[in-house]
Amino acid sequence: MVVVADKSLVLLKGKKREYLVEASDKKFHTDHGILDLGELREKTFGGTLMTHLGYEYAIIKPRAPDFFRHCKRTGAPMMPKDIGIILAYTGLCPEDNVLDAGTGSGILAIYLGTIAKKVVTYERNGEFVKIARKNIEAAGLRNVELRHADIVSEVPHLKKNFNLITLDMKDAAMVIPHIKKVLKPGGFLATYSPFFEQTEDIRVAIEREGFSEVQTLECVERNLDFTKRGTRPSTRVAHTGFITIARL
Ligand SMILES: C[S@@+](CC[C@H](N)C(=O)[O-])C[C@H]1O[C@@H](n2cnc3c(N)ncnc32)[C@H](O)[C@@H]1O
């Protein structure tokens, strides 16, 4: 069993609520009493922590979906369903170097970093950089390098070093003319855009560059609601974005 080190991030999972906390000297107030976060240092992942009222929380090592749910956000992070499509259709693996832009809250970069050898992620907004850096550090990922810069002006200076390039940003189409210089043969480009118009610009740019295996798709996630009256698909149908995947 792995012991919880000082300052480690821990997911405390109760019957109804869960919290992402740090092992520290602090006390954490919940609906079910106070948790002494100092006690975490004597515990192991897989163990439990009790509130002063006797409610039990499981001590869990957080994983990428926990960061998605609990990290501080600067805008709309990519949803796990869309991240899943990118991981599956590009076959991301532990030998891969990834170029990612824009970082946003760092959610996609965190998922990529849990699999890839190295992720270099670009964000041009300084305030977002601070928050994403905290999120990435909290995830304990030393292989994710966050650069505060505009990818459109930086990409011409990068080397041909990447197996996957992910673009989740408005001007993705402006980056595409430079992709051939930085993406290794057989590597993938994956873009994400909420609008048809952006997606069309991306497709036009991809067409000019002569990629292969080009496809644009939308992942529709539909949950099932289990109620006393019966079981049926959830009435919440939400659009997120269109994913375009292309290969060199
Ligand atoms: C939708 S968010 C990305 C969300 C991110 N994929 C995540 O999962 O948290 C788009 C981000 O791209 C950044 N951005 C837009 N244009 C950029 C550029 N040219 N270079 C770097 N970052 C850029 C924006 O500041 C914004 O934070």
Side-chain angles (χ1 to χ4, degrees):
M1 281 291 184
V2 182
V3 178
V4 179
D6 191 34
K7 300 225 164 75
S8 290
L9 263 199
V10 171
L11 182 72
L12 290 176
K13 210 169 176 51
K15 284 219 169 77
K16 291 212 170 120
R17 292 194 196 280
E18 60 175 45
Y19 307 101
L20 197 60
V21 299
E22 196 178 274
S24 68
D25 291 327
K26 290 187 183 152
K27 304 269 193 280
F28 190 85
H29 293 254
T30 76
D31 296 353
H32 293 128
I34 301 165
L35 290 158
D36 181 348
L37 301 183
E39 282 179 26
L40 281 172
R41 298 183 192 113
E42 297 140 35
K43 304 273 186 178
T44 53
F45 287 106
T48 55
L49 187 69
M50 296 281 214
T51 69
H52 81 294
L53 297 176
Y55 286 89
E56 196 177 74
Y57 283 79
I59 302 171
I60 290 169
K61 200 165 175 47
R63 296 163 68 109
D66 303 315
F67 291 106
F68 171 78
R69 282 200 303 276
H70 296 288
C71 267
K72 191 165 177 196
R73 295 177 179 190
T74 53
M78 201 180 285
M79 301 287 285
K81 73 178 177 73
D82 296 317
I83 294 172
I85 291 278
I86 291 175
L87 300 182
Y89 279 79
T90 65
L92 182 69
C93 65
E95 290 85 46
D96 284 350
N97 289 317
V98 184
L99 173 64
D100 171 58
T103 316
S105 320
I107 297 300
L108 175 61
I110 288 173
Y111 272 86
L112 295 168
T114 59
I115 301 173
K117 180 162 95 183
K118 168 101 184 169
V119 179
V120 178
T121 179
Y122 280 82
E123 173 56 56
R124 68 178 176 189
N125 180 311
E127 287 310 304
F128 296 178
V129 165
K130 282 185 206 154
I131 290 164
R133 188 155 278 142
K134 273 195 191 150
N135 288 341
I136 292 163
E137 270 171 27
L141 292 165
R142 299 219 173 91
N143 60 337
V144 179
E145 182 187 337
L146 172 49
R147 296 183 184 167
H148 179 196
D150 187 322
I151 189 64
V152 178
S153 49
E154 285 299 302
V155 68
H157 310 296
L158 296 175
K159 291 201 175 121
K160 201 180 192 72
N161 194 31
F162 300 99
N163 309 92
L164 169 63
I165 297 176
T166 52
L167 301 175
D168 177 7
M169 46 172 280
K170 196 165 155 267
D171 298 324
M174 290 170 71
V175 180
I176 292 171
H178 304 278
I179 295 286
K180 270 190 176 164
K181 279 183 258 152
V182 293
L183 187 62
K184 288 184 174 176
F188 282 93
L189 163 70
T191 68
Y192 173 90
S193 31
F195 299 107
F196 284 115
E197 290 80 0
Q198 282 171 355
T199 308
E200 203 177 323
D201 291 347
I202 286 166
R203 287 297 299 236
V204 168
I206 283 176
E207 192 72 32
R208 275 197 206 113
E209 295 302 308
F211 283 84
S212 67
E213 300 177 33
V214 186
Q215 59 172 330
T216 295
L217 49 102
E218 181 181 16
C219 177
V220 178
E221 183 179 67
R222 196 165 66 156
N223 285 302
L224 287 190
D225 288 341
F226 291 83
T227 69
K228 282 189 182 141
R229 290 170 56 217
T231 304
R232 65 174 191 175
S234 165
T235 46
R236 271 188 57 205
V237 178
H239 165 74
T240 55
F242 304 109
I243 295 165
T244 299
I245 307 219
R247 190 172 198 186
L248 262 197

